[in-house]
């Protein structure tokens, strides 16, 4: 799961909306440290407010070319730490934060991974079609590799 996140920098971050549903949006990973994923955000954005109300989030990533997929459940928090913002700063964020790492509205979202699931379904062509038909007929998953991981306590 971690290796896929290292390769894929744009993921979907799902939070809980005020109405009680889920709200997902694409986000760029700016840092991965141990079991923590870092993103930049506007401290006043709806996602920051949603995380302030409910810390449980989901991060989903995929690499369709390699037929690899990952889903990470975690605990998020919004932090303003100028030193960490400078450490993780990327010019990709400048269109949203013209003043750079010292922008007043710049904050970080820290997601501490609690668990992850990944799928690696390499079969191609006829074998993939056979696996699909077999799964439909037998009610079982095809030949995809699937795993789970827990982080922390």
């Amino acid at each position: 799961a971690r290796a896929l996140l290292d390769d894929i920098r744009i993921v979907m971050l799902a939070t809980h909306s005020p109405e009680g549903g889920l709200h997902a949006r694409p986000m760029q990973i700016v840092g991965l440290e141990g079991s923590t994923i870092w993103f930049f955000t506007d401290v006043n954005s709806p996602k920051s407010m949603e995380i302030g109300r409910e810390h449980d989030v989901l991060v989903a990533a995929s690499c369709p070319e390699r037929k690899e997929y990952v889903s990470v459940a975690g605990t998020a928090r919004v932090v303003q730490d100028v030193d960490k913002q400078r450490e993780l700063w990327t010019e990709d964020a400048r269109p949203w934060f013209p003043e750079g790492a010292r922008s007043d509205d710049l904050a970080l979202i820290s997601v501490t991974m609690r668990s992850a699931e990944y799928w690696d379904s390499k079969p191609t062509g006829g074998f993939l079609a056979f696996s699909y038909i077999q799964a439909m007929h037998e009610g079982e998953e095809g030949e995809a590799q699937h795993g789970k991981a827990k982080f922390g306590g």
Side-chain angles (χ1 to χ4, degrees):
R2 168 74 196 253
L4 184 57
L5 292 176
D6 279 333
D7 291 344
I8 298 174
R9 303 313 272 180
I10 305 296
V11 299
M12 294 299 288
L13 173 66
T15 56
H16 296 269
S17 71
E19 297 78 30
L22 294 174
H23 181 205
R25 79 283 290 148
M27 298 286 291
Q28 179 179 354
I29 295 174
V30 295
L32 274 169
E33 298 171 341
S35 62
T36 302
I37 307 169
W38 294 96
F39 304 98
F40 284 133
T41 190
D42 184 311
V43 71
N44 299 306
S45 69
K47 71 183 149 300
S48 295
M49 302 302 134
E50 290 168 0
I51 290 169
R53 283 189 297 275
E54 171 58 61
H55 301 290
D56 290 332
V57 298
L58 182 86
V59 176
S62 69
C63 182
E65 299 82 28
R66 295 192 324 235
K67 298 186 181 350
E68 296 176 335
Y69 310 89
V70 66
S71 173
V72 175
T75 304
R77 62 188 176 95
V78 177
V79 295
Q80 286 189 292
D81 177 337
V82 175
D83 291 335
K84 191 68 173 173
Q85 290 166 199
R86 271 187 279 170
E87 175 190 332
L88 297 174
W89 180 253
T90 173
E91 286 300 311
D92 292 344
R94 192 164 297 278
W96 293 273
F97 305 102
E99 297 170 22
R102 295 182 181 270
S103 294
D104 290 338
D105 54 351
L106 177 62
L108 291 161
I109 295 174
S110 157
V111 176
T112 303
M113 295 185 269
R114 288 192 318 265
S115 63
E117 287 189 76
Y118 69 90
W119 297 264
D120 179 352
S121 52
K122 297 285 194 255
T124 59
F127 184 74
L128 182 60
F130 174 76
S131 294
Y132 175 76
I133 292 167
Q134 181 181 22
M136 293 297 292
H137 178 69
E138 297 175 6
E140 298 177 5
E141 291 185 21
E143 294 296 317
Q145 296 293 318
H146 175 246
K148 296 180 181 181
K150 294 255 186 227
F151 300 89

